[in-house]
């Protein structure tokens, strides 16, 4: 599953550690998510979407969409 976490995080001028602290996970988890090496739980996906004020569907997606849109 692809995601736009890095895109939204960079737009918010937020570090991986800051995002991790906001959603109560390790920075390693955020790094793995951004690299597409880890699929989050529904709860974690929801928490991250809430941080950026977007829907889960806008943050995570399947397919060939450009993740830097």
């Amino acid at each position: 599953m692809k995601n736009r976490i890095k895109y939204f995080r960079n737009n918010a001028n937020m570090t991986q550690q800051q995002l991790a602290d906001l959603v109560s996970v390790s920075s390693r988890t955020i790094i793995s998510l951004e690299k597409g090496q880890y699929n989050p739980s529904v709860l974690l996906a929801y928490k991250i979407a809430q941080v950026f004020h977007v829907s889960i569907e806008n943050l995570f997606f399947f397919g060939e969409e450009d993740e830097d849109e």
Side-chain angles (χ1 to χ4, degrees):
M1 177 177 358
K2 295 184 179 185
N3 67 72
R4 294 184 175 101
I5 295 171
K6 186 174 183 178
Y7 171 81
F8 285 110
R9 184 179 58 75
N10 286 336
N11 281 348
N13 294 316
M14 185 181 294
T15 67
Q16 291 169 329
Q17 185 62 59
Q18 288 169 325
L19 177 57
D21 291 343
L22 287 171
V23 297
S24 303
V25 297
S26 70
S27 60
R28 174 60 41 210
T29 297
I30 300 301
I31 292 166
S32 295
L33 284 167
E34 289 183 356
K35 289 182 177 181
Q37 298 172 338
Y38 174 73
N39 289 329
S41 67
V42 174
L43 180 58
L44 179 55
Y46 175 78
K47 287 179 178 181
I48 295 170
Q50 290 295 298
V51 167
F52 298 122
H53 307 287
V54 299
S55 68
I56 292 174
E57 293 84 0
N58 199 11
L59 191 60
F60 295 92
F61 57 94
F62 298 96
E64 300 300 318
E65 293 182 50
D66 183 3
E67 58 201 53
D68 291 330
E69 287 182 349

